[in-house]
Amino acid sequence: MKIVTIVGARPQFIKAAAVSRVLRQTMREILIHTGQHYDKNMSDVFFDEIGIPAPDHNLRVGSGSHAAQTASMLTGIDAVLLAEKPDWVLVYGDTNSTLAGALAAAKRHIPVAHVEAGLRSFNRRMPEEINRVVTDHLSALLLCPSRSAVKNLAKEGIVHGVHPVGDVMADALDHAVKRAAGDSTVLDTLGVRDRPYLLATVHRAENTDDPIRLKAILGALQKLSEQEPVVFPVHPRTRKRLMELGIANPKSRETRDKSKTCPAFRGIPPSAGQVQNLSRVSRDLKFTDPLGYLDMVRLEKSARMILTDSGGIQKEAYWLGVPCVTLRDETEWTETVLTGWNTLTGASTAAILHAVHHGPRPKRHPALYGDGHAASRCVKALRTADVRGQRSKGSEA
Ligand code: UD1
Ligand code: UDP
């Protein structure tokens, strides 16, 4: 069986690594990298570090508007599908690469398998929500991380080809935790070994592209860093916005231009004089470039608490038993909130501070999102899927 797998963004490299490891034992996989993420620390580092096979095709679409980026991916993916003629197209998550892969395949009547199907935030202002809804409705095989994802699909009338397989990120994390313990020196590099610290990430458009929300989050992180270190690996989208706002960015035009060629955040906290919109940045607000997966997992594991708007990191926090504050108004990973391990604060400075200082510390930690063997179940579902049945259902509709 020949599978074309489509990835393009950081979390997809991590998910695909877990599945490819199993898939390639019995099937032929052709890997397309759309090029949605392209910086070394957003792409290459994952291929180098966690043994993802090199892409067979890199479309190098780069950044752009949703329309331009998706259109460019569609054209590129279509050409590869025509040449490769796969039995299945495998897509992950909810990025523009996911949507383009699913749409290109569906138009060529190639069945689509969607890993992380059925997630919903019920917020159509999120580009990811549009991507996942459309992808699910185009997919013949829906590989769900949870029972609630299965229910979400059923409510939309999707009941065929649905498999609760668990979350492939749990498989990936299991591997990474073992390797990170030996390989990562990040705690020493950042000076947080044997010290309680917080770990923060922010990259959702709803937070980065709204200056009020971004400033409120930064304000909270700054306040928190006066009491304990806050390690903040900065996503390039966020870095761009922070620089536009004059936060954590050199003041003078001359230095600002230099900072474009020499990364401004390489572990160097900005000094008080560099901050225009926040009164003071403490030395212990530790900005870093985006990290490799092993360093990130090492930092997550020892953090006292994690503050994030990332989907993947909310789950990793849960699996590692680290309380999480989610800097969003809603989450797709509702079980992490229901168990008390994750608190939704939106972008309110006061709510974030309250959650960090007074958030729940639950005693129970039920297993969520599978058992670390989701990849095997995905591959089994692919092997045994009734593609002809799915196709004829599609054509009857
Ligand atoms: C994308 C996904 C999001 C996912 C995230 C994972 C969509 C709509 N969004 O968001 O669901 O959670 O990836 O990290 O697909 N940039 C660089 N270098 C890079 C990549 C991006 O500088 O290697 C900058 C560019 O200015 C770009 C911006 O970041 O315009 C946003 O990148 P993009 O891939 O469009 O969306 P993400 O915010 O990364
Ligand atoms: N991650 C990483 N380095 C970082 C930030 C995140 O390796 O600097 C990993 C993180 O551990 C998780 C994944 O990237 O496995 C989450 O990706 P991201 O937050 O970009 O996207 P999302 O999950 O929100 O789609």
Side-chain angles (χ1 to χ4, degrees):
M1 194 182 277
K2 186 176 181 183
I3 314 287
V4 162
T5 294
I6 295 164
V7 294
R10 172 166 72 185
Q12 294 169 327
F13 308 140
I14 294 163
K15 292 168 200 177
V19 176
S20 288
R21 209 174 282 138
V22 183
L23 191 140
R24 288 186 182 223
Q25 290 169 12
T26 52
M27 296 177 188
R28 170 133 189 259
E29 182 179 46
I30 307 290
L31 191 63
I32 303 181
H33 185 335
T34 62
Q36 178 171 352
H37 285 175
Y38 45 86
D39 287 349
K40 273 196 171 7
N41 53 25
M42 294 295 289
S43 175
D44 295 7
V45 67
F46 299 97
F47 286 84
D48 297 343
E49 224 181 38
I50 51 179
I52 315 168
D56 299 280
H57 304 269
N58 191 328
L59 306 179
R60 300 188 196 286
V61 298
S63 304
S65 67
H66 287 276
Q69 192 182 52
T70 312
S72 173
M73 288 175 190
L74 270 172
T75 319
I77 293 169
D78 188 51
V80 177
L81 295 184
L82 268 179
E84 297 285 0
K85 299 190 179 15
D87 298 297
W88 284 92
V89 165
L90 183 59
V91 295
Y92 290 88
D94 53 18
T95 71
N96 289 347
S97 299
T98 318
L99 174 67
L103 195 49
K107 290 286 179 90
R108 289 283 172 199
H109 307 148
I110 301 166
V112 177
H114 183 202
V115 175
E116 215 175 73
L119 272 287
R120 295 291 181 269
S121 65
F122 304 102
N123 174 2
R124 290 273 172 113
R125 290 186 59 80
M126 286 180 77
E128 292 86 354
E129 183 76 352
I130 298 165
N131 293 344
R132 51 173 96 99
V133 169
V134 175
T135 300
D136 283 341
H137 282 263
L138 294 175
S139 295
L141 198 55
L142 298 110
L143 303 162
C144 299
S146 64
R147 293 273 165 199
S148 59
V150 173
K151 282 188 195 151
N152 288 338
L153 292 175
K155 282 186 203 145
E156 294 174 20
I158 303 175
V159 290
H160 296 291
V162 177
H163 298 257
V165 292
D167 197 316
V168 301
M169 284 194 104
D171 305 24
L173 186 67
D174 276 355
H175 277 264
V177 165
K178 287 175 205 136
R179 286 200 47 210
D183 292 3
S184 172
T185 54
V186 72
L187 298 183
D188 295 314
T189 308
L190 291 171
V192 291
R193 186 177 286 284
D194 304 324
R195 274 179 90 185
Y197 64 89
L198 304 172
L199 175 65
T201 77
V202 180
H203 77 276
R204 290 274 155 222
E206 74 211 43
N207 285 331
T208 58
D209 296 5
D210 179 340
I212 296 175
R213 288 181 71 99
L214 189 55
K215 283 183 201 171
I217 291 170
L218 255 286
L221 297 183
Q222 179 185 333
K223 188 94 192 131
L224 290 166
S225 70
E226 286 163 10
Q227 288 169 4
E228 60 192 317
V230 178
V231 178
F232 184 3
V234 184
H235 187 287
R237 170 193 281 279
T238 316
R239 172 185 168 150
K240 203 168 143 197
R241 297 290 178 235
L242 289 175
M243 290 173 76
E244 282 165 9
L245 287 174
I247 300 174
N249 182 42
K251 237 183 187 172
S252 79
R253 181 148 186 82
E254 192 198 354
T255 344
R256 182 174 300 158
D257 287 341
K258 274 187 201 149
S259 77
K260 279 185 186 153
T261 48
C262 120
F265 290 136
R266 215 169 273 288
I268 307 164
S271 74
Q274 294 167 340
V275 177
Q276 291 166 6
N277 294 300
L278 295 167
S279 56
R280 195 171 70 83
V281 167
S282 104
R283 269 174 51 82
D284 271 343
L285 182 46
K286 293 171 181 282
F287 294 102
T288 75
D289 283 338
L291 297 168
Y293 185 49
L294 298 183
D295 282 345
M296 190 63 188
V297 166
R298 185 69 196 90
L299 276 168
E300 287 176 357
K301 193 168 186 311
S302 295
R304 189 177 75 72
M305 215 165 187
I306 294 176
L307 298 94
T308 191
D309 59 9
S310 156
I313 295 172
Q314 287 175 63
K315 291 177 288 173
E316 288 168 350
Y318 184 82
W319 289 319
L320 294 169
V322 179
C324 185
V325 170
T326 292
L327 309 166
R328 288 182 48 196
D329 301 324
E330 73 279 308
T331 179
E332 301 78 21
W333 305 102
T334 48
E335 294 84 353
T336 59
V337 177
L338 293 172
T339 53
W341 284 84
N342 189 5
T343 307
L344 290 176
T345 59
S348 148
T349 305
I352 296 167
L353 296 179
H354 187 269
V356 172
H357 294 314
H358 308 288
R361 296 283 186 280
K363 292 206 165 50
R364 286 189 60 247
H365 189 268
L368 287 184
Y369 313 125
D371 55 3
H373 298 286
S376 301
R377 289 193 201 92
C378 290
V379 173
K380 186 171 172 209
L382 269 171
R383 207 170 37 236
T384 55
D386 177 8
V387 184
R388 279 180 314 159
Q390 293 302 330
R391 277 180 174 161
S392 60
K393 263 185 218 97
S395 50
E396 278 159 23

